[in-house]
Amino acid sequence: MKCATLLLLVFVSSLYGGSICEYKIKQARDGLEAYMQKPHKDPHKLQEAQDELASLLQHCDDKEILEEVASYIVSMKSALDHANLTLAQAKQTGDKSAIHQATLAQKIAQAQYIAARQEELRLKDLLKDNP
């Protein structure tokens, strides 16, 4: 019965959600299925994955997802700007340890920013493929 309900929710969500929602639901479902294959499951993480999928199935909106991604990009850009500033300040001091730490933080922030932008492009491509 639970499986039939889940399938019905998937069908209904595909009627109302757009291509981004379909992609996100597939990602969440694939992640949950992969986690279910693990021999030792953390009940809290399992519940989070189930809740995420249920939430997407009940309410998913392409526009909201794009807005969330855009907001995340802004925060990642801010973090990158801060990391760049911290690195510049560390270089001015000449403290090798501070430079090393700031360089690592800057590389992480840059990777996160790039990943966020790539996700945005991936989602926008989904919209282009399914007008």
Side-chain angles (χ1 to χ4, degrees):
M1 180 67 182
K2 191 173 185 181
C3 186
T5 304
L6 184 62
L7 289 174
L8 179 62
L9 284 173
V10 169
F11 176 73
V12 170
S13 69
S14 68
L15 291 176
Y16 295 105
S19 53
I20 292 175
C21 287
E22 289 174 14
Y23 171 75
K24 290 300 228 180
I25 289 169
K26 182 179 180 337
Q27 274 188 321
R29 187 180 304 111
D30 290 348
L32 179 59
E33 289 173 3
Y35 193 76
M36 293 297 289
Q37 300 300 318
K38 292 181 83 170
H40 305 287
K41 299 171 200 65
D42 178 346
H44 180 68
K45 288 183 180 180
L46 178 60
Q47 188 62 50
E48 283 181 0
Q50 291 171 335
D51 290 348
E52 178 185 354
L53 178 57
S55 174
L56 285 169
L57 290 170
Q58 290 175 355
H59 173 75
C60 186
D61 183 280
D62 286 359
K63 184 178 176 183
E64 286 179 17
I65 291 173
L66 284 174
E67 289 171 357
E68 289 172 10
V69 169
S71 175
Y72 182 69
I73 288 171
V74 168
S75 69
M76 289 298 96
K77 177 66 171 136
S78 177
L80 178 58
D81 291 344
H82 178 72
N84 286 334
L85 179 61
T86 301
L87 178 57
Q89 291 171 343
K91 286 181 178 179
Q92 285 180 344
T93 67
D95 181 351
K96 289 186 182 208
S97 177
I99 292 171
H100 179 70
Q101 291 297 319
T103 299
L104 291 175
Q106 191 272 344
K107 287 180 180 181
I108 292 169
Q110 186 175 28
Q112 290 173 327
Y113 176 70
I114 290 169
R117 291 298 310 262
Q118 288 174 333
E119 178 71 2
E120 178 186 44
L121 293 173
R122 187 177 306 113
L123 296 177
K124 286 183 177 181
D125 283 346
L126 288 171
L127 288 178
K128 290 179 189 174
D129 292 341
N130 295 316

